[in-house]
Amino acid sequence: MSFVSPTAARSHAVPPPETITGLIERVTFFNEENGFAVLKVKIKGRRDEASVVGSLPSVNAGEWLTAQGKWVQDREFGLQFRAELITSTAPTTREGIEKYLGSGLVKGIGPVYAKKLVERFGEKIFDIIENESGRLEDLEGIGPKRRRQIKDAWAEQKVIRQIMVFLHSNGVSTSRAVRIYKIYGENAIETVRANPYALAQDIHGIGFKTADQIAQKMGVPHDSVLRARAGLRHVLLEATGQGHCALPADLLKEEANKLLLVDSKVIQSALETTLLEKELAVEKVGDQTLFFLPQLKRAEEDIAERVRKLSSLPPTYPPIVLDKAIEWSQRKTGKELAPSQRAALQQALTHRALIITGGPGVGKTTLLNAILLILTAKKVRCQLCAPTGRAAKRLSEATGMEAKTIHRLLEVDPSKGGFLRNERRPLDCDLLVVDETSMLDLPLTDHLLRALPDSASLLLVGDDDQLPSVGPGMVLRNLIDSGLIPVAHLTEVFRQAANSQIITNAHRINEGLMPEKAGTVAGT
């Protein structure tokens, strides 16, 4: 049995964070989106300005900085103080005030006007701005418009500081506090006080456990219904990571009890409240009562409605003589289509939506190339996409056409977390081809169908025997089982593919047979 002495244990302990204070001489870099800043700070007792890196909602030269963190030696930038917690306060010295006002805080006030303001009003300048702003007009060059700009900028900075003090006092790190401020703005204090668990829904990077810690610090009771409601949502959100769209009532309550460690009556009361407030959705399926996150239930319903509508409409392609088109495409590619591929090609040209499925080596790519060759010759605008970058690259290489990831095709908007392409701004295509459809989850499919133009056709390609998506839902399997969309199920393994041990064994496993060893002959 080994023994670690208390002295040795202390030697390996993480040192406590160091605190520094000083005047911000200049802002070297500041990212408006996430608040990341690189600052040059004059610290008492140090001859040279120190580099401080961390996050703030806003920052200006001349402010007084207090930071907690540690000194690190960066390979590229040298010695830096890496701050985990930063607060800044309005300057109190003439030097600091002059830097602060002349830092660009107020449009139209540069170093020259900042110097004049400090010379005229001294250290009382901030009181003048807040309570007697009319006196600023005594200074030549400052009229009513510039005076209002100065007063509004000061008021905004004051609100930001109050928010940061409130969040820091409740255990929120600076980087998270910046994200909270960016989302909630000047209403951050009221919003967090009303429901700290809203942070888990609204702020990226804050989950239930972090929001729960903040709530406990604010005095929210352990057995409050507010906490239990948030816990129920968290359990359902965690379930989506395992591919589930909903959970049965009993399982939901059981998992919530494990998470919250409260009386079952509290969970039942919270469940009833979430339904009244429409925070959760419920549906009876057979003899089970299933609970959903509302956005997932809406996504399911939207997909079903759009697929139903799509499958009831004819394609909008120009007239195509099938036999001639097939002969022409075979001459162009030098590949003859098998009867099953010809039948699938006819389905693709005569239906508004089609699923092409089958295992490896059954000719899905050959069929897809024939479809695209015929339609592009008829000036049909085709767009190709796949769920991942690798799948999109393979699709592009196989077809000779540009293929994008679905996120790139839909023009993801990182700042708002959505997509720029939708029903109001649909895609520019007459046919949308989606490869590796087995990877599609429910939310992404919903966004994709929303962006499909009213007149466009849809071609889904994938292997329904592959593992389902990581996200919620089994979209390809459910669409096939629905019977709404025609399915071309290719099964014939072609000669080139039949020589592949991997492809041969993949089909044997699907048929419930043992895979063959390399070099063996089937049946021996």
Side-chain angles (χ1 to χ4, degrees):
M1 181 177 176
S2 61
F3 172 75
V4 179
S5 70
T7 305
R10 281 195 299 272
S11 68
H12 291 288
V14 178
E18 186 178 342
T19 300
I20 62 168
T21 60
L23 180 71
I24 300 174
E25 287 289 328
R26 67 179 183 276
V27 180
T28 305
F29 174 80
F30 180 68
N31 186 316
E32 293 280 354
E33 289 294 321
N34 58 26
F36 178 76
V38 179
L39 313 172
K40 289 294 184 182
V41 181
K42 185 192 290 182
I43 299 173
K44 188 176 180 180
R46 294 181 68 90
R47 187 179 63 183
D48 298 327
E49 293 174 357
S51 290
V52 178
V53 295
S55 297
L56 299 110
S58 68
V59 64
N60 294 281
E63 292 181 322
W64 189 258
L65 173 139
T66 301
Q68 284 185 1
K70 61 181 179 180
W71 292 99
V72 296
Q73 187 69 36
D74 187 271
R75 286 185 179 181
E76 186 174 354
F77 300 108
L79 187 64
Q80 294 180 330
F81 189 82
R82 193 164 292 164
E84 297 171 3
L85 193 70
I86 299 181
T87 56
S88 61
T89 56
T92 55
T93 65
R94 281 178 172 254
E95 179 191 7
I97 293 170
E98 195 173 313
K99 280 183 180 294
Y100 181 72
L101 290 174
S103 66
L105 171 70
V106 183
K107 189 177 180 181
I109 298 291
V112 174
Y113 269 111
K115 188 176 181 66
K116 288 181 179 180
L117 285 165
V118 174
E119 285 176 349
R120 182 66 175 269
F121 300 108
E123 290 89 346
K124 294 182 179 178
I125 179 62
F126 294 133
D127 288 333
I128 299 294
I129 292 172
E130 191 165 341
N131 302 311
E132 301 177 72
S133 63
R135 291 179 59 187
L136 299 176
E137 295 184 33
D138 295 344
L139 200 66
E140 186 180 350
I142 295 183
K145 181 179 178 181
R146 188 169 283 178
R147 172 180 64 80
R148 283 194 298 272
Q149 287 177 331
I150 295 171
K151 183 166 184 175
D152 290 346
W154 171 250
E156 182 183 354
Q157 293 300 310
K158 188 174 180 182
V159 168
I160 291 172
R161 287 197 188 87
Q162 289 171 343
I163 290 169
M164 297 305 285
V165 168
F166 168 77
L167 293 173
H168 285 156
S169 67
N170 285 291
V172 181
S173 68
T174 300
S175 58
R176 283 175 173 159
V178 170
R179 291 201 293 272
I180 292 168
Y181 172 72
K182 293 293 181 185
I183 296 295
Y184 295 151
E186 62 183 27
N187 298 317
I189 294 176
E190 292 81 0
T191 303
V192 176
R193 273 185 178 147
N195 182 8
Y197 293 102
L199 295 171
Q201 292 177 269
D202 301 334
I203 311 299
H204 177 70
I206 295 183
F208 170 79
K209 291 184 179 178
T210 301
D212 197 30
Q213 290 170 357
I214 295 167
Q216 299 300 305
K217 205 167 180 70
M218 291 175 61
V220 175
H222 182 76
D223 61 351
S224 74
V225 171
L226 183 68
R227 178 172 181 264
R229 284 160 58 186
L232 288 165
R233 288 194 300 272
H234 175 72
V235 169
L236 282 173
L237 188 62
E238 287 288 292
T240 65
Q242 299 169 7
H244 302 299
C245 299
L247 288 179
D250 290 345
L251 182 57
L252 173 60
K253 287 188 275 190
E254 180 186 331
E255 292 299 316
N257 192 273
K258 290 178 186 176
L259 172 72
L260 301 167
L261 301 175
V262 295
D263 192 281
S264 58
K265 291 179 181 177
V266 175
I267 293 174
Q268 183 59 40
S269 176
L271 197 56
E272 292 167 4
T273 305
T274 58
L275 292 176
L276 284 172
E277 297 293 330
K278 297 184 179 179
E279 295 169 7
L280 300 183
V282 66
E283 183 178 339
K284 192 85 171 174
V285 179
D287 59 351
Q288 281 192 322
T289 301
L290 298 178
F291 285 86
F292 296 74
L293 290 170
Q295 65 270 25
L296 283 185
K297 190 166 189 296
R298 282 196 299 271
E300 273 198 346
E301 292 167 350
D302 286 349
I303 291 169
E305 181 57 36
R306 289 174 191 277
V307 167
R308 188 180 293 111
K309 181 180 177 182
L310 196 64
S311 60
S312 67
L313 298 170
T316 56
Y317 302 141
I320 297 171
V321 180
L322 185 64
D323 290 339
K324 288 184 178 179
I326 290 174
E327 293 304 321
W328 175 79
S329 73
Q330 289 181 152
R331 285 199 306 273
K332 280 280 192 181
T333 62
K335 292 182 179 180
E336 187 174 346
L337 297 179
S340 59
Q341 291 174 315
R342 284 172 173 255
L345 178 56
Q346 181 176 5
Q347 285 181 297
L349 300 180
T350 56
H351 289 84
R352 191 67 166 269
L354 177 68
I355 296 171
I356 297 174
T357 186
V362 295
K364 295 192 296 291
T365 302
T366 301
L367 172 60
L368 178 59
N369 278 328
I371 294 168
L372 292 173
L373 185 64
I374 292 168
L375 291 177
T376 52
K378 289 288 186 176
K379 307 300 182 187
V380 173
R381 298 172 302 157
C382 303
Q383 285 191 315
L384 283 62
C385 64
T388 67
R390 182 174 292 181
K393 185 181 179 183
R394 283 201 308 266
L395 179 60
S396 181
E397 290 169 349
T399 61
M401 297 175 66
E402 183 186 21
K404 299 178 180 180
T405 64
I406 295 173
H407 285 77
R408 187 174 163 220
L409 182 73
L410 296 179
E411 299 176 23
V412 66
D413 182 3
S415 62
K416 296 180 181 177
F419 295 100
L420 298 178
R421 292 286 185 174
N422 48 44
E423 55 265 63
R424 293 181 297 279
R425 187 170 171 257
L427 298 167
D428 301 315
C429 66
D430 304 309
L431 169 66
L432 178 63
V433 178
V434 188
D435 197 16
E436 298 290 359
T437 314
S438 63
M439 295 184 187
L440 282 180
D441 64 18
L442 205 63
L444 192 57
T445 305
D446 186 34
H447 286 297
L448 192 61
L449 292 182
R450 284 174 180 273
L452 188 70
D454 289 339
S455 59
S457 296
L458 179 66
L459 184 58
L460 304 175
V461 185
D463 182 354
D464 62 323
D465 287 320
Q466 285 185 350
L467 290 173
S469 66
V470 175
M474 297 175 63
V475 174
L476 180 58
R477 169 50 55 195
N478 291 156
L479 288 176
I480 291 172
D481 291 345
S482 73
L484 286 173
I485 299 181
V487 179
H489 201 135
L490 303 181
T491 57
E492 183 181 349
V493 180
F494 292 92
R495 186 186 306 166
Q496 303 94 314
N499 292 329
S500 165
Q501 197 78 27
I502 293 174
I503 291 175
T504 300
N505 282 331
H507 285 277
R508 286 180 64 83
I509 291 168
N510 277 340
E511 294 166 9
L513 302 173
M514 289 293 291
E516 296 175 348
K517 292 182 180 179
T520 62
V521 179
T524 65

